[in-house]
Amino acid sequence: MDIKIEPGWKEQLEDEFEKPYFTSLTGFVKSEYAAQKIYPPGKLIFNAFEKCPFDKTKVVILGQDPYHEPGQAHGLCFSVPDGVSLPPSLQNIFKEIKNDLGIAVPKSGNLERWAEQGVFLLNATLTVRAHQAGSHQKRGWEMFTDKVITLLSESREHLVFLLWGAYAQRKSELINTSKHLILSSVHPSPLSAHRGFFGNHQFSKTNEYLKSHGKSPVNW
């Protein structure tokens, strides 16, 4: 199956695109876009991969679902396009960056600038129906994104995986901790951020680890 995706990722994932589950997933997603309002726009489903090539990835942040309200989702977890108000979890991420590194909270929630530095912003499910959180879960996306995490763990070295909340933390079993760093905490949502997201200093810890392995730090 010819999936339009960044060439480095395409090379890594070619076999996955031919598997029966992915064929079934593709049929489901196409039918949903034809009949329903689905986010993100079709051309941005693989935006995280486009903005952060396989061999440039240094940090992985894992989300669960795309945003499901108009104008928010653009294929990068936690990120929103320029001009869109900051969702609560993203506000809390920026607050912790300010607390940790002294960087002022930006006006834009567009995290493409992180992706272009090697921060892979992956949602476990890459599409969603408008106004229906979780509506495309258990259709095959998780199998695909688990494979993506496994490939990064097996084929790369000295990556940082930021796993926020119980859902993301379950993915730790896919990651080889002898050659990668996992930083876990509660989710940055307003429901949990005060129970350990604030004060986790994971942005500075990420940069310290990258520098210790000869990689450039992220300008958060």
Side-chain angles (χ1 to χ4, degrees):
M1 188 180 301
D2 185 32
I3 300 293
K4 290 180 172 54
I5 195 169
E6 188 273 328
W9 281 110
K10 187 159 194 168
E11 185 181 337
Q12 294 293 327
L13 293 164
E14 265 177 331
D15 292 346
E16 211 64 16
F17 295 144
E18 301 305 323
K19 291 182 178 175
Y21 89 86
F22 197 86
T23 304
S24 170
L25 170 63
T26 303
F28 166 74
V29 169
K30 283 180 175 173
S31 69
E32 285 284 282
Y33 273 93
Q36 304 283 341
K37 184 65 179 172
I38 305 298
Y39 299 125
K43 66 179 189 293
L44 296 177
I45 292 173
F46 294 108
N47 199 25
F49 300 80
E50 294 297 331
K51 299 292 185 211
C52 186
F54 181 80
D55 61 353
K56 299 283 195 288
T57 299
K58 297 188 294 195
V59 180
V60 180
I61 299 179
L62 189 69
Q64 188 165 354
D65 246 13
Y67 295 122
H68 53 267
E69 296 302 327
Q72 293 183 311
H74 66 144
L76 308 175
C77 74
F78 294 106
S79 178
V80 290
D82 293 327
V84 175
S85 7
L86 304 182
S89 291
L90 185 55
Q91 290 181 37
N92 287 339
I93 289 168
F94 286 151
K95 281 179 191 171
E96 175 54 23
I97 291 171
K98 184 178 182 185
N99 168 61
D100 187 12
L101 294 166
I103 297 170
V105 174
K107 289 189 170 57
S108 173
N110 189 336
L111 303 181
E112 286 180 359
R113 61 192 177 80
W114 291 4
E116 288 159 2
Q117 298 178 72
V119 181
F120 186 45
L121 297 161
L122 179 68
N123 276 316
T125 303
L126 298 187
T127 54
V128 69
R129 274 192 192 184
H131 319 301
Q132 295 181 43
S135 47
H136 283 189
Q137 291 177 6
K138 299 184 173 61
R139 292 288 188 162
W141 278 131
E142 296 92 339
M143 198 178 297
F144 174 70
T145 52
D146 280 0
K147 178 64 175 180
V148 168
I149 295 166
T150 302
L151 276 169
L152 284 165
S153 175
E154 290 175 350
S155 305
R156 300 291 313 283
E157 290 190 339
H158 309 313
L159 303 183
V160 182
F161 290 83
L162 299 176
L163 305 182
W164 300 331
Y167 182 88
Q169 287 165 25
R170 285 197 290 273
K171 305 297 182 179
S172 62
E173 64 193 35
L174 305 171
I175 301 161
N176 181 344
T177 53
S178 70
K179 59 176 185 167
H180 302 291
L181 175 66
I182 294 177
L183 295 174
S184 301
S185 82
V186 298
H187 196 275
S189 87
L191 298 173
S192 55
H194 290 279
R195 298 203 311 270
F197 183 80
F198 293 136
N200 68 22
H201 298 289
Q202 289 186 359
F203 301 96
S204 58
K205 288 175 183 174
T206 294
N207 280 350
E208 285 160 14
Y209 180 84
L210 293 174
K211 286 190 284 189
S212 74
H213 292 284
K215 300 185 181 190
S216 55
V218 176
N219 177 6
W220 299 104

